[in-house]
Amino acid sequence: MSSSSVPMSTKAAMGPLVVIVFLGFLAVGTPLAALAIHLHDAMGFSPALVGAVIGAQSLMTVVTRHAAGTVCDRYGPRRSALIGLPLAALSGLVMLPATILLPADSLLVVPLLLLARAMLGAAESFFLTGSMTWGIGRMGPARTGKVMAWQGIAMYAALGTGAPLGLWLLQDGGFDTVLLLSILAPLLATGIALGLRGFPGSGGLRLPFHRVVGLVWMPGTVLALSGLSFVAMTTFLALHYQARGWAGAGLGMIGFVAAYILVRLFLAHLPDRQGGMRVGIASLALQFLGQLLLWWAPGPLPALLGAVVTGLGFSLVFPAMGVEATRCVPAAQRGQAVGNFIAFFDLALGLGGPLLGLAATLGGSAAPFLVGAVSTLAALLLLRRLPPVA
């Protein structure tokens, strides 16, 4: 249910929420690479322990998505966002003694680090699920795809700028400056959220976890299978260029990101107007072609083309499948649908790195893109089995 009887314009409805998501995800993206370097170089952590600390966030994000959706449906999405954003700031405060104040060999350091990362994972669940559901309420359910497209731009823009910004802050001012930004950004987002009007949750009976997952598993699985290509691009593209002795890995990433953003800027309305299935099929077909090009590419120019085509295809998969997921559940359970749907992408991010890393070890640097192509083809076949709109 919208906060007003007439859906708001895109600028009025989404502008503040896009800023909220961007600031919230700065708290996620800014310490990501900087924390790994600080733990390894300054504190002497092993790579395995660094991985465990970093991974605690993703695990908690998956675990808490359903709870965040329940809060949205029962108490309203504004409540969910106002739980997640201060919690993100608090996670930075908890990390402060673990990384700055206590000696590295203190028995409290690892538990505090794991607690801080788990808090950040839960915070992401609550503020992103809340912001997505809030946007649908402000824009109207008929523009669900557009909401998810714009929130996705904010999310990836924050992650894309946050990581290099965090590394620059680490080098220029130390890890305490990284934490300072990670604390202040979600606090500023909290202030913006407090100034926005919310709308009440539906209350009433809740669908159990297994029932909601049972309703959204098909579009969610399509998203997860498609998401393996995103992991291949963000994690293994530069390594592939390096292994082949090619220059221009940065240009390949720029091509992928630029294509992704341009499609969302100009074609975000398509899932709402044309339907999630139709847009999803076209998007996955492009993504499949892009991954095949990257796997086959004999030189950097075909690889660049593959990166661009992958970005064109991947861009609208999330909003297209979001449209399909939200139509699978009653309106009163929309928050749970959004939360559990996003959890499928979280799983792809969490499992994709080790899976594609194994593929690269066994099959060479191009193997992750072959896995991306095969998983995209599987997503395309599964998508064609989605039930039609009633």
Side-chain angles (χ1 to χ4, degrees), residues 56-72 80 83-84 87 115 117-130 209 213 335-344 346-347:
Q57 176 194 334
S58 296
L59 176 62
M60 186 56 67
T61 301
V62 174
V63 168
T64 54
R65 286 290 188 198
H66 186 78
T70 300
V71 170
C72 288
S80 181
I83 290 173
L87 186 60
L115 175 61
R117 296 296 294 172
M119 290 170 64
L120 186 58
E124 180 192 330
S125 279
F126 278 89
F127 76 69
L128 180 59
T129 305
F209 172 77
V213 173
Q336 290 180 326
V338 170
N340 285 284
F341 168 69
I342 299 173
F344 281 89
D346 297 330
L347 285 172

Side-chain angles (χ1 to χ4, degrees), residues 4 19 33 43 49 51 79 93 95 113 146 152 165 172 191 203-204 236 263-264 306 331 345 356 359:
S4 63
V19 175
M43 301 182 68
L49 187 53
R79 174 81 64 89
L93 289 174
M95 189 170 286
L113 284 170
K146 200 168 197 177
L165 177 60
D172 195 61
F236 294 97
V263 169
R264 286 210 170 183
F345 190 64
L356 296 180

Side-chain angles (χ1 to χ4, degrees), residues 68-136:
T70 300
V71 170
C72 288
D73 292 332
R74 186 169 294 175
Y75 304 108
R78 183 174 182 266
R79 174 81 64 89
S80 181
L82 288 175
I83 290 173
L85 293 168
L87 186 60
L90 184 59
S91 73
L93 289 174
V94 172
M95 189 170 286
L96 181 64
T99 55
I100 303 297
L101 302 179
L102 292 174
D105 58 354
S106 171
L107 294 178
L108 293 176
V109 166
V110 172
L112 283 174
L113 284 170
L114 292 174
L115 175 61
R117 296 296 294 172
M119 290 170 64
L120 186 58
E124 180 192 330
S125 279
F126 278 89
F127 76 69
L128 180 59
T129 305
S131 298
M132 288 276 190
T133 311
W134 202 352
I136 295 170

Side-chain angles (χ1 to χ4, degrees), residues 8-280:
M8 304 171 69
S9 70
T10 301
K11 181 178 179 180
M14 294 305 302
L17 294 177
V18 166
V19 175
I20 286 172
V21 170
F22 179 82
L23 291 172
F25 267 93
L26 274 184
V28 176
T30 301
L32 198 55
L35 176 61
I37 291 174
H38 181 73
L39 292 179
H40 184 269
D41 294 351
M43 301 182 68
F45 280 28
S46 68
L49 187 53
V50 171
V53 170
I54 299 297
Q57 176 194 334
S58 296
L59 176 62
M60 186 56 67
T61 301
V62 174
V63 168
T64 54
R65 286 290 188 198
H66 186 78
T70 300
V71 170
C72 288
D73 292 332
R74 186 169 294 175
Y75 304 108
R78 183 174 182 266
R79 174 81 64 89
S80 181
L82 288 175
I83 290 173
L85 293 168
L87 186 60
L90 184 59
S91 73
L93 289 174
V94 172
M95 189 170 286
L96 181 64
T99 55
I100 303 297
L101 302 179
L102 292 174
D105 58 354
S106 171
L107 294 178
L108 293 176
V109 166
V110 172
L112 283 174
L113 284 170
L114 292 174
L115 175 61
R117 296 296 294 172
M119 290 170 64
L120 186 58
E124 180 192 330
S125 279
F126 278 89
F127 76 69
L128 180 59
T129 305
S131 298
M132 288 276 190
T133 311
W134 202 352
I136 295 170
R138 288 165 68 87
M139 291 275 284
R143 292 189 281 179
T144 294
K146 200 168 197 177
V147 171
M148 292 191 167
W150 278 97
Q151 297 291 50
I153 290 175
M155 180 172 66
Y156 291 119
L159 293 175
T161 58
L165 177 60
L167 291 174
W168 178 77
L169 289 173
L170 177 67
Q171 183 178 5
D172 195 61
F175 193 69
D176 51 342
T177 61
V178 177
L179 286 181
L180 180 62
L181 179 59
S182 302
I183 293 167
L184 292 179
L187 287 180
L188 179 57
T190 301
I192 296 173
L194 287 171
L196 294 180
R197 179 185 176 188
F199 55 91
S202 58
L205 297 176
R206 304 291 95 213
L207 288 177
F209 172 77
H210 70 275
R211 176 64 174 152
V212 177
V213 173
L215 290 171
V216 304
W217 78 267
M218 195 173 289
T221 302
V222 170
L223 176 66
L225 290 169
S226 169
L228 290 179
S229 295
F230 176 77
V231 177
M233 296 300 299
T234 56
T235 306
F236 294 97
L237 183 66
L239 295 176
H240 180 51
Y241 269 69
Q242 184 181 52
R244 293 292 176 92
W246 299 338
L251 185 60
M253 278 304 302
I254 291 173
F256 170 74
V257 173
Y260 173 92
I261 292 177
L262 285 172
V263 169
R264 286 210 170 183
L265 285 175
F266 294 104
L267 301 177
H269 60 280
L270 287 182
D272 296 321
R273 293 186 183 179
Q274 302 295 327
M277 179 180 287
R278 180 178 296 179
V279 173

